[in-house]
Amino acid sequence: DTGVSQDPRHKITKRGQNVTFRCDPISEHNRLYWYRQTLGQGPEFLTYFQNEAQLEKSRLLSDRFSAERPKGSFSTLEIQRTEQGDSAMYLCASSLDGVYEQYFGPGTRLTVT
Amino acid sequence: ELKVEQNPLFLSMQEGKNYTIYCNYSTTSDRLYWYRQDPGKSLESLFVLLSNGAVKQEGRLMASLDTKARLSTLHITAAVHDLSATYFCAVDMVLADKLIFGTGTRLQVFP
């Protein structure tokens, strides 16, 4: 399968713990995006990379959130000191320069207890 | 700030009927996307509309874009149960690549 993959698919953690999610984009795609979706809402943009450069971060991305894409391939999203308000589906998408369509992965559902 | 509004938010319709979902956005954009999401699942791309007057059709769904009115429509023809899902429109900002999503329209088709 050559689609966008995310790991883990589900994560349950206690408040105050750190969590890290991984996204593997479609292999030739140089753009990678992170979105967050809460129940009953549309996805909200968090950040995006072009190759290894992080080009934009949303105001939603507090200093507890950090994202990396060290070699321009897979990306990680880390949340430190999780809070109950962080419970959401975290979606990763990828696209190719000049091709606007973004392809979404299956998402990681985070539950903070 | 770019805002995207969809209506209706919830649509319950009988099989065989036609209906239209509307997507309005607040600032200039030439690209409009429609996605489908099944419960607990990720987003599936349906249509990418890249210019004023663009119309695309796939099966019982047809999408159109009027950039002057800042309006896109998703028309459903002769609905069937398999179309039950949440439909999102999204717009990307000029000179930026992030998608701004609408609140979604939850479609339920019953016999």
Side-chain angles (χ1 to χ4, degrees):
Chain A
D1 183 40
T2 57
V4 179
S5 62
Q6 292 186 245
D7 184 69
R9 298 290 304 278
H10 302 274
K11 179 72 176 178
I12 300 173
T13 191
K14 292 185 177 179
R15 187 163 52 97
Q17 298 294 305
N18 299 343
V19 293
T20 300
F21 309 141
R22 176 178 170 128
C23 170
D24 286 87
I26 293 172
S27 59
E28 65 269 24
H29 286 187
N30 60 331
R31 296 184 176 208
L32 187 147
Y33 309 80
W34 286 98
Y35 294 85
R36 180 172 69 185
Q37 185 179 24
T38 53
L39 200 62
Q41 300 297 316
E44 295 175 294
F45 169 80
L46 293 178
T47 189
Y48 102 92
F49 293 85
Q50 183 165 348
N51 301 310
E52 63 274 11
Q54 187 174 20
L55 295 187
E56 187 172 353
K57 294 197 295 185
S58 163
R59 290 171 293 177
L60 293 175
L61 216 63
S62 75
D63 56 6
R64 295 185 298 107
F65 288 71
S66 62
E68 294 183 343
R69 193 182 184 198
K71 297 182 180 179
S73 57
F74 72 91
S75 175
T76 57
L77 178 68
E78 181 183 15
I79 309 174
Q80 296 182 327
R81 306 181 302 281
T82 53
E83 301 173 356
Q84 286 190 319
D86 297 331
S87 296
M89 174 81 90
Y90 290 83
L91 294 164
C92 176
S94 70
S95 71
L96 191 59
D97 264 348
V99 180
Y100 304 110
E101 190 170 7
Q102 294 183 20
Y103 295 86
F104 283 80
T108 294
R109 182 167 294 283
L110 173 67
T111 302
V112 182
T113 62
Chain B
E1 181 185 345
L2 177 58
K3 292 186 179 179
V4 182
E5 295 183 341
Q6 287 181 237
N7 71 82
L9 298 182
F10 181 76
L11 178 56
S12 181
M13 59 189 297
Q14 195 170 18
E15 279 189 332
K17 298 293 187 183
N18 304 333
Y19 208 83
T20 300
I21 299 170
Y22 297 89
C23 174
N24 290 90
Y25 53 98
S26 61
T27 61
T28 302
S29 176
D30 290 331
R31 301 193 290 263
L32 193 293
Y33 308 79
W34 284 97
Y35 286 88
R36 168 182 171 145
Q37 187 175 39
D38 292 293
K41 305 291 186 182
S42 189
L43 288 93
E44 174 191 354
S45 178
L46 295 175
F47 300 109
V48 181
L49 303 170
L50 298 177
S51 61
N52 186 41
V55 177
K56 291 197 173 179
Q57 183 165 4
E58 180 75 33
R60 300 174 188 275
L61 300 177
M62 183 174 70
S64 66
L65 177 61
D66 181 345
T67 58
K68 293 179 182 177
R70 297 177 185 167
L71 171 68
S72 179
T73 60
L74 181 66
H75 187 72
I76 302 156
T77 302
V80 293
H81 179 72
D82 285 351
L83 290 179
S84 297
T86 298
Y87 293 84
F88 291 98
C89 65
V91 177
D92 60 12
M93 299 176 67
V94 175
L95 300 180
D97 295 289
K98 61 186 178 185
L99 293 179
I100 308 298
F101 282 84
T103 48
T105 296
R106 186 178 165 200
L107 172 65
Q108 197 168 51
V109 181
F110 60 91

PDB file of all heavy atoms in Angstrom, chain A residues 63-76:
ATOM      1  N   ASP A  63       3.462  25.643  22.882  1.00  0.00           N
ATOM      2  CA  ASP A  63       4.863  25.236  23.060  1.00  0.00           C
ATOM      3  C   ASP A  63       4.974  23.809  23.580  1.00  0.00           C
ATOM      4  O   ASP A  63       6.077  23.262  23.673  1.00  0.00           O
ATOM      5  CB  ASP A  63       5.604  26.218  23.968  1.00  0.00           C
ATOM      6  CG  ASP A  63       4.929  26.387  25.318  1.00  0.00           C
ATOM      7  OD1 ASP A  63       3.948  25.663  25.586  1.00  0.00           O
ATOM      8  OD2 ASP A  63       5.370  27.246  26.095  1.00  0.00           O
ATOM      9  N   ARG A  64       3.857  23.175  23.887  1.00  0.00           N
ATOM     10  CA  ARG A  64       3.911  21.760  24.288  1.00  0.00           C
ATOM     11  C   ARG A  64       3.964  20.844  23.064  1.00  0.00           C
ATOM     12  O   ARG A  64       4.235  19.646  23.205  1.00  0.00           O
ATOM     13  CB  ARG A  64       2.686  21.405  25.133  1.00  0.00           C
ATOM     14  CG  ARG A  64       2.609  22.140  26.470  1.00  0.00           C
ATOM     15  CD  ARG A  64       1.434  21.632  27.308  1.00  0.00           C
ATOM     16  NE  ARG A  64       0.147  21.862  26.650  1.00  0.00           N
ATOM     17  CZ  ARG A  64      -0.578  20.912  26.091  1.00  0.00           C
ATOM     18  NH1 ARG A  64      -0.162  19.642  26.099  1.00  0.00           N
ATOM     19  NH2 ARG A  64      -1.738  21.203  25.518  1.00  0.00           N
ATOM     20  N   PHE A  65       3.699  21.398  21.912  1.00  0.00           N
ATOM     21  CA  PHE A  65       3.675  20.619  20.676  1.00  0.00           C
ATOM     22  C   PHE A  65       4.959  20.881  19.892  1.00  0.00           C
ATOM     23  O   PHE A  65       5.380  22.039  19.758  1.00  0.00           O
ATOM     24  CB  PHE A  65       2.485  21.023  19.794  1.00  0.00           C
ATOM     25  CG  PHE A  65       1.143  20.582  20.295  1.00  0.00           C
ATOM     26  CD1 PHE A  65       0.581  21.160  21.418  1.00  0.00           C
ATOM     27  CD2 PHE A  65       0.429  19.599  19.634  1.00  0.00           C
ATOM     28  CE1 PHE A  65      -0.668  20.763  21.881  1.00  0.00           C
ATOM     29  CE2 PHE A  65      -0.821  19.192  20.086  1.00  0.00           C
ATOM     30  CZ  PHE A  65      -1.363  19.777  21.203  1.00  0.00           C
ATOM     31  N   SER A  66       5.535  19.823  19.354  1.00  0.00           N
ATOM     32  CA  SER A  66       6.663  20.009  18.453  1.00  0.00           C
ATOM     33  C   SER A  66       6.581  18.972  17.347  1.00  0.00           C
ATOM     34  O   SER A  66       6.175  17.824  17.570  1.00  0.00           O
ATOM     35  CB  SER A  66       7.997  19.895  19.194  1.00  0.00           C
ATOM     36  OG  SER A  66       8.137  18.608  19.741  1.00  0.00           O
ATOM     37  N   ALA A  67       6.935  19.389  16.149  1.00  0.00           N
ATOM     38  CA  ALA A  67       6.914  18.494  15.004  1.00  0.00           C
ATOM     39  C   ALA A  67       8.254  18.554  14.308  1.00  0.00           C
ATOM     40  O   ALA A  67       8.899  19.604  14.272  1.00  0.00           O
ATOM     41  CB  ALA A  67       5.794  18.883  14.040  1.00  0.00           C
ATOM     42  N   GLU A  68       8.649  17.413  13.774  1.00  0.00           N
ATOM     43  CA  GLU A  68       9.919  17.321  13.057  1.00  0.00           C
ATOM     44  C   GLU A  68       9.747  16.488  11.802  1.00  0.00           C
ATOM     45  O   GLU A  68       8.894  15.601  11.731  1.00  0.00           O
ATOM     46  CB  GLU A  68      10.999  16.661  13.936  1.00  0.00           C
ATOM     47  CG  GLU A  68      11.406  17.459  15.132  1.00  0.00           C
ATOM     48  CD  GLU A  68      12.526  16.763  15.909  1.00  0.00           C
ATOM     49  OE1 GLU A  68      12.735  15.544  15.694  1.00  0.00           O
ATOM     50  OE2 GLU A  68      13.169  17.432  16.725  1.00  0.00           O
ATOM     51  N   ARG A  69      10.608  16.760  10.857  1.00  0.00           N
ATOM     52  CA  ARG A  69      10.686  15.918   9.656  1.00  0.00           C
ATOM     53  C   ARG A  69      12.158  15.914   9.246  1.00  0.00           C
ATOM     54  O   ARG A  69      12.555  16.567   8.278  1.00  0.00           O
ATOM     55  CB  ARG A  69       9.805  16.476   8.538  1.00  0.00           C
ATOM     56  CG  ARG A  69       9.604  15.509   7.402  1.00  0.00           C
ATOM     57  CD  ARG A  69       8.761  16.098   6.293  1.00  0.00           C
ATOM     58  NE  ARG A  69       8.518  15.108   5.256  1.00  0.00           N
ATOM     59  CZ  ARG A  69       8.125  15.428   4.031  1.00  0.00           C
ATOM     60  NH1 ARG A  69       7.929  16.684   3.684  1.00  0.00           N
ATOM     61  NH2 ARG A  69       7.906  14.467   3.147  1.00  0.00           N
ATOM     62  N   PRO A  70      12.984  15.209   9.992  1.00  0.00           N
ATOM     63  CA  PRO A  70      14.438  15.359   9.917  1.00  0.00           C
ATOM     64  C   PRO A  70      15.068  15.086   8.558  1.00  0.00           C
ATOM     65  O   PRO A  70      16.013  15.740   8.183  1.00  0.00           O
ATOM     66  CB  PRO A  70      14.951  14.382  10.975  1.00  0.00           C
ATOM     67  CG  PRO A  70      13.814  13.445  11.227  1.00  0.00           C
ATOM     68  CD  PRO A  70      12.571  14.203  10.964  1.00  0.00           C
ATOM     69  N   LYS A  71      14.573  14.133   7.817  1.00  0.00           N
ATOM     70  CA  LYS A  71      15.208  13.820   6.548  1.00  0.00           C
ATOM     71  C   LYS A  71      14.265  14.061   5.377  1.00  0.00           C
ATOM     72  O   LYS A  71      14.504  13.571   4.273  1.00  0.00           O
ATOM     73  CB  LYS A  71      15.696  12.362   6.539  1.00  0.00           C
ATOM     74  CG  LYS A  71      16.770  12.095   7.585  1.00  0.00           C
ATOM     75  CD  LYS A  71      17.259  10.660   7.519  1.00  0.00           C
ATOM     76  CE  LYS A  71      18.337  10.429   8.565  1.00  0.00           C
ATOM     77  NZ  LYS A  71      18.823   9.027   8.547  1.00  0.00           N
ATOM     78  N   GLY A  72      13.219  14.808   5.626  1.00  0.00           N
ATOM     79  CA  GLY A  72      12.280  15.091   4.558  1.00  0.00           C
ATOM     80  C   GLY A  72      11.431  13.913   4.165  1.00  0.00           C
ATOM     81  O   GLY A  72      10.788  13.950   3.112  1.00  0.00           O
ATOM     82  N   SER A  73      11.419  12.884   5.015  1.00  0.00           N
ATOM     83  CA  SER A  73      10.566  11.734   4.696  1.00  0.00           C
ATOM     84  C   SER A  73       9.459  11.639   5.730  1.00  0.00           C
ATOM     85  O   SER A  73       8.484  12.372   5.648  1.00  0.00           O
ATOM     86  CB  SER A  73      11.392  10.458   4.614  1.00  0.00           C
ATOM     87  OG  SER A  73      12.099  10.255   5.831  1.00  0.00           O
ATOM     88  N   PHE A  74       9.613  10.779   6.760  1.00  0.00           N
ATOM     89  CA  PHE A  74       8.571  10.671   7.787  1.00  0.00           C
ATOM     90  C   PHE A  74       8.609  11.875   8.715  1.00  0.00           C
ATOM     91  O   PHE A  74       9.598  12.635   8.762  1.00  0.00           O
ATOM     92  CB  PHE A  74       8.727   9.364   8.577  1.00  0.00           C
ATOM     93  CG  PHE A  74       9.896   9.354   9.515  1.00  0.00           C
ATOM     94  CD1 PHE A  74       9.757   9.762  10.837  1.00  0.00           C
ATOM     95  CD2 PHE A  74      11.157   8.948   9.085  1.00  0.00           C
ATOM     96  CE1 PHE A  74      10.835   9.766  11.704  1.00  0.00           C
ATOM     97  CE2 PHE A  74      12.234   8.941   9.937  1.00  0.00           C
ATOM     98  CZ  PHE A  74      12.082   9.360  11.257  1.00  0.00           C
ATOM     99  N   SER A  75       7.534  12.047   9.446  1.00  0.00           N
ATOM    100  CA  SER A  75       7.450  13.154  10.407  1.00  0.00           C
ATOM    101  C   SER A  75       6.965  12.624  11.747  1.00  0.00           C
ATOM    102  O   SER A  75       6.268  11.615  11.816  1.00  0.00           O
ATOM    103  CB  SER A  75       6.484  14.217   9.904  1.00  0.00           C
ATOM    104  OG  SER A  75       6.280  15.249  10.862  1.00  0.00           O
ATOM    105  N   THR A  76       7.351  13.315  12.806  1.00  0.00           N
ATOM    106  CA  THR A  76       6.837  12.999  14.138  1.00  0.00           C
ATOM    107  C   THR A  76       6.186  14.239  14.738  1.00  0.00           C
ATOM    108  O   THR A  76       6.611  15.359  14.480  1.00  0.00           O
ATOM    109  CB  THR A  76       7.941  12.505  15.088  1.00  0.00           C
ATOM    110  OG1 THR A  76       8.967  13.497  15.163  1.00  0.00           O
ATOM    111  CG2 THR A  76       8.525  11.191  14.594  1.00  0.00           C
TER     112      THR A  76
END
